Amino acid sequence: MELLHVLLAASYILLVSFSQSSSKCQGKTLPYMTPDVTQISGRSFDYIIVGGGTAGCPLAATLSERYSVLLVERGSSPYKNPFVLDKRFYGFALFQTNEFSSVSQSFISKDGVSNLRGRVLGGSSAINGGFYSRASDAFVRRAGWDEELVKESYKWVESKMVFKPELTKWQSAVKFGLLEAGILPYNGFSLEHVEGTKMGRTVFDHDGRRHTSADLLETGNPDNIVVLLNATVKNIIFHKKGTENETTVHGIRFIKSDGNVSQTYEAYLKQLENSGSWGDVILSAGTLGSPQILLLSGIGPKRHLKNFGIPLVLDFPEIGQEMVDNPSISVLLESDPQVQLPDPPQIVGIADDFKFIVQGLILPISINATRIPISIKLAFPASKGKLELNSTDPRQNPLVEFNYLAKEKDMKECIKMVQLVERVARSKSIAGFLGKEHYSNSKSPREQREFCKKNVRTFYHYHGGCAVGSVVDNDYRVHGVKGLRVVDGSTFLESPGTNPMATLLMLGRYQGIKILAENNQHEPSKSNHTHTHI
Ligand SMILES: Cc1cc2nc3c(=O)[nH]c(=O)nc-3n(C[C@H](O)[C@H](O)[C@H](O)COP(=O)(O)OP(=O)(O)OC[C@H]3O[C@@H](n4cnc5c(N)ncnc54)[C@H](O)[C@@H]3O)c2cc1C
Ligand SMILES: *[C@@H]1O[C@H](CO)[C@@H](O)[C@H](O)[C@H]1NC(C)=O
Ligand SMILES: *[C@@H]1O[C@H](CO)[C@@H](O)[C@H](O)[C@H]1NC(C)=O
Ligand SMILES: *[C@@H]1O[C@H](CO)[C@@H](O)[C@H](O)[C@H]1NC(C)=O
Ligand SMILES: *[C@@H]1O[C@H](CO)[C@@H](O)[C@H](O)[C@H]1NC(C)=O
Ligand SMILES: *[C@@H]1O[C@H](CO)[C@@H](O)[C@H](O)[C@H]1NC(C)=O
Ligand SMILES: *[C@@H]1O[C@H](CO)[C@@H](O)[C@H](O)[C@H]1NC(C)=O
């Protein structure tokens, strides 16, 4: 089917799905969802999770097994949006962006590189390529995580929203292209981070329907979760207690995403009679969102906050530091005929001692045009940047700079990446699929360097800003603040595996179980009447 026909079909699906209005998704029950801020205003919960994204949804579902949970998401529901759910429209959400309401929010880093972030329940798992692959054992060990619980948590995610793909013709050509280029051995289907060429898993099921992290909310206790949609958290509210040295979290302040930024509402953490609060506010607002909210709350570098007139709560220079994006190079291929169906990645090449990750896809760039890139990412860049506020409006993007290829080591690797990705693009298998060969001029080392500078782009795996170690401790609690954690990609020091989604879904589940277990230990009397499904 041609792209244009697909689009006509989309308007039909939109009509059909708008006429149904159940909150059921394939027979299971999703928790109560509302965009009505007045229903939530003034209420208290055991846990408040900010950001219904990739890590936030499994975390909310897990905590709801025993606690009341408020999940606040600035975007709307994914369940009636064919551009999110239907594989035939994969990529459409990426070019249809606007300032305040599109499911993808675009941003341009100070480096001048265009980028995207999810703005919908399900977060970036609702707009991404859906490629699913676990982190390496080495990554898990470096993180200091409990290896058994990590495995259980991956399996939990996989049993609910992850599928074995049927290779498309293009992905099959990519597979042979990677092998021809020497990315060996061939590992078949594998969830593990193993060198060579392999097939991964996908969040698109056999009917071409995308499963987002929002689907994991069905696994929680629906009576214990409230999902507030179309509401943007502006900042965290703290207790004003003169006697305590440690800053303690009281709740959150939010606005309607399409409302007036001065019209704010509040929700609180429940208070236990004896000593302060029980639960936490947990930021799962993503790599840009979580450090932004901390800054807006007065937690960050003193001078920067002063420039924006934000009252200082805690001078914390590390907030917004260690921002990293994996530099990437794409070779755009031409095919005959031009119009191809969107094709998310199913294959990956892991080359040169895990340094390079190669994938190929077909992306629509407008209603009637597609692009066929082969893209390569540098897995462990040395260059780092930072994030700062650009506005006190929480709906505006913060300013972020990644300093792509600033370190000479990264530049040297980029030159190797250009050579490898060109080798894949020139393979016979890929030429066979395209109906033509890919020509590229052989470049001198100086030209390759210039090429890297001009063509570096994102692989969308940016991370950091609330780095574990400097901003959060090993339990993902923010240093120096009581009742505040961060659980999402902003905590990563490096991007896990080939692609991070699997590990972020896992992390939400893992941290949820850790918190349940931790509370069990400290408050044994609370545990004897509620059954926990772990
Ligand atoms: C285009 C694209 C393609 C990608 N392809 C892949 C792929 O194929 N495989 C893979 O593994 N990874 C892929 N990734 C990367 C992966 O999707 C992300 O790294 C991951 O989803 C990030 O998860 P997170 O939980 O950190 O943040 P998100 O999933 O982005 O969640 C953050 C959530 O917080 C919400 N939020 C932010 N600020 C606020 C606020 N102030 N108030 C309320 N809510 C707020 C956001 O709306 C969002 O829903 C891709 C990413 C992109 C953008
Ligand atoms: C939520 O926001 C989206 C995007 O702005 C909008 O289309 C939708 O109507 C809003 N939903 C409600 C119930 O306000
Ligand atoms: C608060 O900090 C001061 C100085 O660091 C210390 O002397 C005092 O014991 C602390 N109080 C509490 C309650 O921890
Ligand atoms: C926003 O709300 C504030 C305070 O309620 C009010 O003074 C202001 O006029 C409002 N702005 C708009 C654009 O409605
Ligand atoms: C795509 O559509 C636009 C406007 O609808 C038109 O200007 C453009 O020429 C079309 N491109 C192709 C390749 O058909
Ligand atoms: C920063 O804010 C200014 C003024 O509102 C705006 O013009 C600019 O586009 C913003 N920059 C970014 C990167 O969002
Ligand atoms: C725990 O169990 C004991 C004995 O069965 C009971 O008396 C007590 O009320 C229970 N505690 C809670 C919090 O339910």
Side-chain angles (χ1 to χ4, degrees):
M1 207 179 350
E2 260 184 44
L3 215 54
L4 213 56
H5 293 158
V6 169
L7 200 75
L8 290 175
S11 42
Y12 172 73
I13 294 168
L14 269 170
L15 282 174
V16 170
S17 54
F18 274 134
S19 60
Q20 311 164 339
S21 62
S22 99
S23 68
K24 289 217 161 187
C25 164
Q26 302 193 332
K28 289 180 225 149
T29 312
L30 285 162
Y32 180 67
M33 300 192 187
T34 178
D36 183 357
V37 288
T38 61
Q39 282 182 29
I40 305 303
S41 181
R43 285 175 62 185
S44 299
F45 300 84
D46 291 323
Y47 285 90
I48 297 175
I49 299 176
V50 179
T54 310
C57 288
L59 179 61
T62 305
L63 290 176
S64 78
E65 290 170 15
R66 274 184 50 204
Y67 298 103
S68 63
V69 177
L70 171 65
L71 180 62
V72 186
E73 168 54 45
R74 63 185 182 146
S76 52
S77 161
Y79 286 110
K80 288 171 185 174
N81 189 340
F83 295 140
V84 169
L85 297 179
D86 192 330
K87 186 177 168 186
R88 290 172 303 173
F89 310 126
Y90 156 64
F92 277 74
L94 305 182
F95 61 80
Q96 292 174 321
T97 58
N98 60 36
E99 194 174 9
F100 288 130
S101 65
S102 54
V103 299
S104 303
Q105 181 180 21
S106 67
F107 67 96
I108 301 175
S109 67
K110 279 166 105 178
D111 315 271
V113 173
S114 294
N115 213 320
L116 293 163
R117 53 196 290 230
R119 181 169 49 196
V120 57
L121 188 68
S124 300
S125 80
I127 63 163
N128 71 11
F131 188 82
Y132 183 98
S133 181
R134 294 181 185 179
S136 66
D137 293 342
F139 180 95
V140 171
R141 276 195 298 274
R142 278 198 295 279
W145 293 334
D146 171 340
E147 292 175 39
E148 268 315 301
L149 186 53
V150 165
K151 274 216 178 73
E152 274 173 39
S153 303
Y154 274 127
K155 283 188 186 147
W156 180 84
V157 169
E158 285 150 19
S159 69
K160 294 174 169 64
M161 56 173 286
V162 178
F163 304 87
K164 206 168 172 173
E166 287 158 41
L167 279 201
T168 61
K169 275 190 185 156
W170 167 235
Q171 291 300 315
S172 190
V174 171
K175 174 177 98 178
F176 288 113
L178 293 169
L179 296 172
E180 275 181 61
I183 305 181
L184 298 163
Y186 178 57
N187 293 308
F189 268 114
S190 177
L191 285 164
E192 304 305 329
H193 195 50
V194 283
E195 230 183 329
T197 295
K198 70 166 195 175
M199 289 178 271
R201 299 282 155 116
T202 176
V203 300
F204 292 101
D205 68 20
H206 299 295
D207 298 325
R209 180 188 161 94
R210 182 199 291 268
H211 294 258
T212 75
S213 68
D215 291 14
L216 297 174
L217 292 171
E218 292 169 358
T219 68
N221 178 348
D223 299 333
N224 272 351
I225 308 187
V226 175
V227 182
L228 176 62
L229 296 171
N230 287 18
T232 302
V233 171
K234 196 177 177 192
N235 54 28
I236 298 158
I237 312 169
F238 302 96
H239 280 296
K240 290 192 188 78
K241 276 192 193 150
T243 51
E244 266 182 49
N245 287 344
E246 205 176 26
T247 310
T248 304
V249 170
H250 181 35
I252 55 162
R253 190 171 285 124
F254 52 94
I255 60 170
K256 286 169 73 166
S257 293
D258 57 1
N260 178 339
V261 79
S262 347
Q263 185 71 56
T264 62
Y265 306 84
E266 296 182 357
Y268 311 106
L269 289 176
K270 268 188 194 159
Q271 294 288 291
L272 289 191
E273 312 81 63
N274 43 358
S275 67
S277 57
W278 165 263
D280 304 287
V281 166
I282 308 178
L283 302 182
S284 296
T287 297
L288 267 57
S290 290
Q292 180 186 25
I293 293 167
L294 289 175
L295 294 173
L296 290 172
S297 306
I299 300 179
K302 194 172 171 178
R303 271 194 32 211
H304 178 56
L305 299 181
K306 200 169 170 214
N307 289 341
F308 283 88
I310 298 169
L312 184 73
V313 171
L314 188 63
D315 184 14
F316 206 148
E318 290 85 356
I319 308 288
Q321 299 295 320
E322 308 269 326
M323 293 297 298
V324 178
D325 194 13
N326 305 82
S328 165
I329 293 290
S330 284
V331 175
L332 296 181
L333 303 170
E334 278 175 38
S335 78
D336 203 17
Q338 263 297 312
V339 182
Q340 299 276 356
L341 279 183
D343 195 41
Q346 301 174 322
I347 294 285
V348 68
I350 304 165
D352 209 352
D353 201 18
F354 298 93
K355 274 203 303 248
F356 304 134
I357 308 295
V358 195
Q359 290 182 309
L361 37 142
I362 302 179
L363 259 188
I365 52 163
S366 71
I367 286 171
N368 57 7
T370 52
R371 261 191 188 165
I372 311 184
I374 301 269
S375 304
I376 184 164
K377 104 169 183 187
L378 181 60
F380 310 109
S383 311
K384 289 176 182 165
K386 69 173 175 183
L387 175 147
E388 290 186 323
L389 295 175
N390 188 41
S391 160
T392 52
D393 183 341
R395 297 167 301 183
Q396 301 275 356
N397 283 313
L399 283 178
V400 48
E401 182 166 37
F402 295 112
N403 291 316
Y404 297 101
L405 309 179
K407 292 257 163 79
E408 180 57 21
K409 177 171 165 277
D410 293 351
M411 181 55 93
K412 286 213 171 91
E413 316 253 57
C414 187
I415 291 168
K416 283 194 202 159
M417 292 207 295
V418 172
Q419 293 161 355
L420 178 56
V421 75
E422 284 286 354
R423 208 153 69 225
V424 177
R426 279 196 306 265
S427 67
K428 285 205 183 78
S429 312
I430 284 179
F433 174 85
L434 299 171
K436 61 170 76 165
E437 287 185 20
H438 170 75
Y439 297 102
S440 65
N441 305 322
S442 53
K443 299 180 184 71
S444 71
R446 243 191 63 197
E447 286 167 332
Q448 282 171 344
R449 183 175 279 268
E450 277 309 302
F451 182 85
C452 275
K453 268 193 195 155
K454 282 204 184 110
N455 293 283
V456 68
R457 37 158 282 153
T458 182
F459 216 79
Y460 303 108
H461 297 173
Y462 50 87
H463 51 280
C466 299
V468 68
S470 53
V471 174
V472 297
D473 66 16
N474 286 337
D475 294 321
Y476 292 70
R477 296 176 188 277
V478 176
H479 285 297
V481 187
K482 215 172 141 195
L484 185 60
R485 303 188 197 229
V486 183
V487 176
D488 61 24
S490 70
T491 63
F492 286 158
L493 303 169
E494 70 184 68
S495 190
T498 59
N499 305 55
M501 173 178 60
T503 303
L504 283 159
L505 292 164
M506 185 284 291
L507 187 65
R509 175 65 177 172
Y510 178 96
Q511 292 301 337
I513 291 179
K514 280 278 189 199
I515 291 171
L516 292 180
E518 195 181 294
N519 292 350
N520 238 344
Q521 232 173 27
H522 294 144
E523 298 274 322
S525 67
K526 275 222 113 183
S527 65
N528 60 344
H529 67 125
T530 26
H531 178 64
T532 308
H533 317 268
I534 296 188

